[in-house]
Amino acid sequence: MGGTFDPIHYGHLVTAESAAEQFELSPVIFVPSGRPPHKREHLVTDPIERLRLTELATLSNPRFSTSSLEVERTGYSYAIDTVQWFHHHYGPTVDLYFITGADAIVEIMSWHKVERLIQYCQFIAVYRPGYAREQLHNTISQWSEEFSRRIHLIEVPALAISSTDIRNRLKKGRSIKYLVPEPVEHYIKEHLLYR
């Protein structure tokens, strides 16, 4: 499961757990992006801090683990490089799934070397109830058959939690309790992140 995780929250964790259950995945490896190329114009929290938050958030679930692969990589973090690394590390007999949000799937055709990326993994596109599912299906159906059959859509419980909202709450001095795991909340407060 890749993402900026700035910060990680319960929506990410519920998404990963739902995908793991439906597709019998183990482990689910959270990979915080180092330097996300799609956020060049945005201020992104230090990758080491986002990695620590992700480690704290996933610690209590034995099915979850965290990788520092993209944080340690120099330059921009591209999904193709990470997925190729996992493919070589685990071998060609292991099925790799890339868990991401439905919004990211809609933009996937603009990803770096996407034609190679689909050779290494399948995608689990997660959407919330109320999401424009038909529009998503229509977008995917316009792609090649090989590509569209490697995308699996799943719905997760309606959690209207976003990292952007959490950052805004913290800037305004508002509570983030029950939006993020308790260890994440304590780390953010202790290290004065997002102020």
Side-chain angles (χ1 to χ4, degrees), residues 59-77:
L59 198 58
S60 65
N61 190 327
R63 188 176 359 210
F64 293 170
S65 66
T66 306
S67 170
S68 62
L69 182 65
E70 288 194 8
V71 169
E72 294 169 359
R73 183 182 297 136
T74 58
Y76 287 112
S77 301

Side-chain angles (χ1 to χ4, degrees), residues 34-52:
R35 290 183 59 209
H38 63 287
K39 297 204 175 183
R40 294 176 191 187
E41 306 300 319
H42 299 88
L43 183 62
V44 179
T45 305
D46 180 76
I48 298 294
E49 298 287 18
R50 291 184 287 107
L51 175 66
R52 287 183 184 137

Side-chain angles (χ1 to χ4, degrees), residues 75-93:
Y76 287 112
S77 301
Y78 292 108
I80 182 62
D81 299 327
T82 302
V83 171
Q84 278 183 313
W85 186 90
F86 280 112
H87 175 78
H88 294 303
H89 179 75
Y90 286 103
T93 60

